[in-house]
Amino acid sequence: MAASVVRRLAALSGASAVAAGAYGAHGFKNKDPDDYQRVLYETANKYHFYNTMALLGAAHCGKPAVAGSLLLAGMGMFCGSLYHQAVTGDPGLRKVAPIGGMALIAGWLAMIL
């Protein structure tokens, strides 16, 4: 049961990563390529994709609900705060990113269980 839920969440995450990547490719089209907001967006999108693949793997580990929950929370906090700052220019959530990074690391490690 938990594995199928995690697989479905991974599919939704992957689809949203593709949509976010498309937005980034077109939404920042006329901006300077060295623009910090564009770099933030690309970083968020890259980590969103990487951890979506981990989420697919989490569906097959011993504790899919634990690993999946940590990965989803980490993506929300890490990628979400970077996406937010890239799109709005507001750095208000930047302190959430390191917490999200730690959750991502814990999610990867939870797949050992």
Side-chain angles (χ1 to χ4, degrees), residues 91-110:
L93 297 177
R94 72 174 172 230
K95 291 184 179 179
V96 176
I99 299 166
M102 294 300 292
L104 289 172
I105 292 167
W108 279 86
L109 292 173

Side-chain angles (χ1 to χ4, degrees), residues 7-112:
R7 261 194 307 276
R8 287 184 178 111
L9 289 170
L12 290 172
S13 181
S16 66
V18 171
Y23 172 80
H26 299 287
F28 292 104
K29 192 174 189 178
N30 297 325
K31 294 196 175 189
D32 179 6
D34 294 326
D35 183 21
Y36 183 61
Q37 284 179 288
R38 182 180 181 118
V39 172
L40 279 175
Y41 195 92
E42 289 172 352
T43 300
N45 194 236
K46 179 172 50 174
Y47 277 84
H48 189 172
F49 269 113
Y50 293 162
N51 289 290
T52 294
M53 296 302 111
L55 192 57
L56 280 171
H60 302 285
C61 75
K63 303 276 187 185
V66 174
S69 296
L70 286 165
L71 288 167
L72 284 169
M75 281 191 282
M77 289 185 286
F78 182 80
C79 301
S81 65
L82 267 60
Y83 280 139
H84 172 77
Q85 186 174 352
V87 172
T88 66
D90 175 20
L93 297 177
R94 72 174 172 230
K95 291 184 179 179
V96 176
I99 299 166
M102 294 300 292
L104 289 172
I105 292 167
W108 279 86
L109 292 173
M111 287 192 275
I112 296 169

